[in-house]
Amino acid sequence: MSLRIGTRGSKLALVQTERACKALTDLGIEVETAVIRTKGDAETGVPLHEVGGQGIFVRALDEAIIDGTIDAAVHSMKDIPAQRPRGVVTGAVLTRDAPGDFLAHEMRINEVRVVGTASTRRQAQFLRHDPEIEVKQLRGNVDTRLRKLREGEYDAIVLAEAGLDRLGYKVKGERLPLSQFVPSPNQGAIAVVCRNDPEIIDQISALNDPRTRKDVGIERIVMQEVGGGCFTPQGIYCRDGHLTAEVLSLDGQRQVRIEEDISTPEEAEQCGRHLKREASDLIKEAYKQLGLIL
């Protein structure tokens, strides 16, 4: 049986898909790829919260799996929403790459005043770090963002370190500390989602890394309990069962943060519920300020 693997058309998506397909081919599994265009790729000039959030990058591929156009799709796992459609499952999670953010800049760090990002989390964390920083909207693929940096539209831009590594890009700047810039849940992880078909799952599951899957699974449970999706400024990161999770106000001046060692899904659920209770006002406030309905 040959597997038909779907992907977005961006350079990063294609590199990630190639990695998964090569791993499957090395196992003797025949694959072919299909590029699926998403609404998120088409509307790059609009803030993510105005076009449906990170889930817009996944929706078209989910639909292609359900209707049988493709058997599976490769995603940056942080783009996958908490709520998943019936008939689509996560077949494998690859070994996690660098989980954190990278600040790309060519000037001296103390001269940076304007930072580009489309992420409410990154915005809030930067404003917490330095309230005098101006955060400006920045969308587009990695090449587009780096071009805008070179053209001087921003003093610095924030990118996922894993994306730069996968593309083989050497960029001036610095890795941001995980303790201050807690990553998005599942950042640095690649997931292969597929139709809920035992034969397909059996082939895809050969790529699974149990350690990564456990950590990102904890992150997803907490994310689901907290809610708010990518609209809420929240960082959730787990390494070998040690969880750090926080919710911030959009201006970065208030926060609720927890750190716990998690060994079971039930403990992750409890942590997520606790964080949601403590941060409920911040979550509601973020939605109101963004003009969204919770």
Side-chain angles (χ1 to χ4, degrees):
M1 174 182 174
S2 176
L3 290 176
R4 188 167 171 81
I5 311 291
T7 178
R8 293 167 57 200
S10 72
K11 187 182 294 186
L12 179 57
L14 291 170
V15 166
Q16 292 176 171
T17 301
E18 181 182 358
R19 173 171 162 184
C21 287
K22 182 180 184 306
L24 288 167
T25 301
D26 288 346
L27 293 170
I29 300 169
E30 293 184 18
V31 298
E32 57 178 307
T33 58
V35 175
I36 308 291
R37 188 163 172 77
T38 75
K39 184 179 179 183
D41 295 313
E43 299 187 20
T44 58
V46 183
L48 276 175
H49 68 267
E50 293 184 13
V51 292
Q54 289 292 96
I56 57 175
F57 296 123
V58 177
R59 202 166 300 131
L61 288 151
D62 283 344
E63 291 169 357
I65 290 172
I66 292 167
D67 68 24
T69 302
I70 56 177
D71 299 307
V74 181
H75 297 291
S76 294
M77 197 170 185
K78 68 182 178 66
D79 290 342
I80 300 176
Q83 298 301 319
R84 308 296 292 126
R86 186 186 301 272
V88 178
V89 298
T90 300
V93 180
L94 280 60
T95 302
R96 195 175 207 163
D97 297 319
D101 290 329
F102 187 88
L103 184 67
H105 59 90
E106 298 187 351
M107 60 176 59
R108 295 173 57 175
I109 186 64
N110 59 359
E111 296 174 348
V112 169
R113 306 312 315 154
V114 180
V115 174
T117 179
S119 161
T120 58
R121 170 188 64 84
R122 289 167 173 164
Q123 170 186 308
Q125 289 172 341
F126 256 96
L127 291 174
R128 173 177 63 187
H129 175 72
D130 184 352
E132 301 302 314
I133 287 283
E134 178 186 357
V135 180
K136 290 175 60 177
Q137 278 290 319
L138 172 63
R139 287 199 51 214
N141 59 37
V142 175
D143 289 325
T144 298
R145 298 182 196 195
L146 290 172
R147 174 178 56 78
K148 290 182 176 182
L149 174 65
R150 289 192 299 270
E151 291 174 351
E153 291 188 40
Y154 308 87
D155 297 334
I157 63 174
V158 192
L159 299 163
E161 185 178 357
L164 293 172
D165 290 345
R166 291 168 192 160
L167 290 167
Y169 288 178
K170 301 298 182 184
V171 178
K172 291 182 179 179
E174 59 206 84
R175 173 184 292 173
L176 295 173
L178 296 173
S179 58
Q180 293 176 261
F181 296 86
V182 184
S184 294
N186 299 175
Q187 185 161 305
I190 295 173
V192 185
V193 300
C194 62
R195 193 159 48 255
N196 192 4
D197 178 309
E199 188 175 357
I200 296 172
I201 295 170
D202 183 60
Q203 294 182 85
I204 298 294
S205 64
L207 305 184
N208 196 58
D209 178 65
R211 175 179 167 185
T212 297
R213 185 154 193 156
K214 182 178 179 180
D215 281 339
V216 299
I218 290 170
E219 293 167 10
R220 288 191 78 78
I221 290 170
V222 175
M223 176 180 72
Q224 288 173 299
E225 292 294 334
V226 172
C230 68
F231 310 122
T232 301
Q234 61 179 325
I236 303 172
Y237 175 58
C238 184
R239 178 181 172 86
D240 295 332
H242 183 74
L243 172 73
T244 303
E246 63 179 11
V247 175
L248 300 91
S249 59
L250 284 172
D251 64 5
Q253 298 312 295
R254 286 164 294 139
Q255 69 177 41
V256 176
R257 182 176 176 127
I258 60 173
E259 290 197 42
E260 296 285 346
D261 289 317
I262 305 294
S263 56
T264 67
E266 291 74 22
E267 290 176 355
E269 290 173 359
Q270 291 172 8
C271 281
R273 287 195 289 268
H274 172 72
L275 182 58
K276 182 177 183 177
R277 283 194 304 270
E278 296 297 313
S280 60
D281 289 345
L282 297 181
I283 295 169
K284 292 174 185 176
E285 180 185 286
Y287 265 69
K288 184 177 180 180
Q289 291 179 4
L290 293 169
L292 301 165
I293 299 174
L294 185 60

